[in-house]
Amino acid sequence: MAYDRNNVFARILRGELPCSKVYEDEHTLAFRDINPLAPTHILVIPKGEYVSVDDFSQNASEAEIVSLMRAIGHVARAEGVVDDGYRILANHGVAARQEVPHFHIHIFGGRDLGPMLTRR
Ligand code: AMP
């Protein structure tokens, strides 16, 4: 799947749309989800143009991958959710219902998050 340069996170990265930024470094940006599903709901994204985790894991540089993983830990600690626990999640593709085609990792915390998935 080709990268869509008009997706909402691309527009945030270009400064065309605002975001509630919580962290930024050379390769990574983290900001609050606009429709939070938990008291802490933050999105961690690479600044590079990657459609999903599949694209990122194949094509990102080691520096970009390290930056993203380090950012997750940094943000969780800064939010104070480490002791009580938190969850990270990345949706890829149709079955996972990925909505925004720019790779992002969700960080959820601040409450009991329940089971990982509901059974069908
Ligand atoms: P996903 O289903 O994994 O693609 O999740 C996309 C997430 O992006 C959802 O949780 C949305 O609430 C969030 N989102 C969409 N637009 C914005 C925005 N402008 N700023 C912050 N979060 C957004």
Side-chain angles (χ1 to χ4, degrees), residues 8-9 32-35 91 97-100 104 106:
V8 65
F9 296 167
R32 297 193 188 280
D33 196 290
I34 204 168
N35 184 22
N91 293 313
R97 304 192 187 196
Q98 181 180 358
E99 290 176 4
V100 178
H104 50 283
H106 299 256

Side-chain angles (χ1 to χ4, degrees), residues 9-120:
F9 296 167
R11 298 186 64 200
I12 286 173
L13 285 165
R14 287 197 297 270
E16 295 168 7
L17 290 175
C19 74
S20 177
K21 182 167 76 177
V22 296
Y23 176 81
E24 181 173 17
D25 66 24
E26 183 184 355
H27 298 297
T28 303
L29 177 69
F31 52 90
R32 297 193 188 280
D33 196 290
I34 204 168
N35 184 22
L37 299 175
T40 289
H41 185 174
I42 290 168
L43 302 171
V44 183
I45 73 171
K47 291 184 176 178
E49 296 182 347
Y50 301 102
V51 176
S52 76
V53 64
D54 184 63
D55 186 11
F56 187 74
S57 68
Q58 285 191 72
N59 299 316
S61 68
E62 293 190 5
E64 290 174 304
I65 293 170
V66 168
S67 166
L68 192 95
M69 286 306 299
R70 295 265 191 231
I72 291 167
H74 177 91
V75 167
R77 288 189 294 276
E79 282 290 301
V81 294
V82 174
D83 286 350
D84 285 346
Y86 66 97
R87 180 174 293 157
I88 64 173
L89 179 149
N91 293 313
H92 163 78
V94 174
R97 304 192 187 196
Q98 181 180 358
E99 290 176 4
V100 178
H102 181 111
F103 175 44
H104 50 283
I105 289 184
H106 299 256
I107 302 177
F108 301 106
R111 66 169 170 84
D112 183 339
L113 296 167
M116 187 165 61
L117 287 175
T118 52
R119 295 189 188 282
R120 303 196 65 184

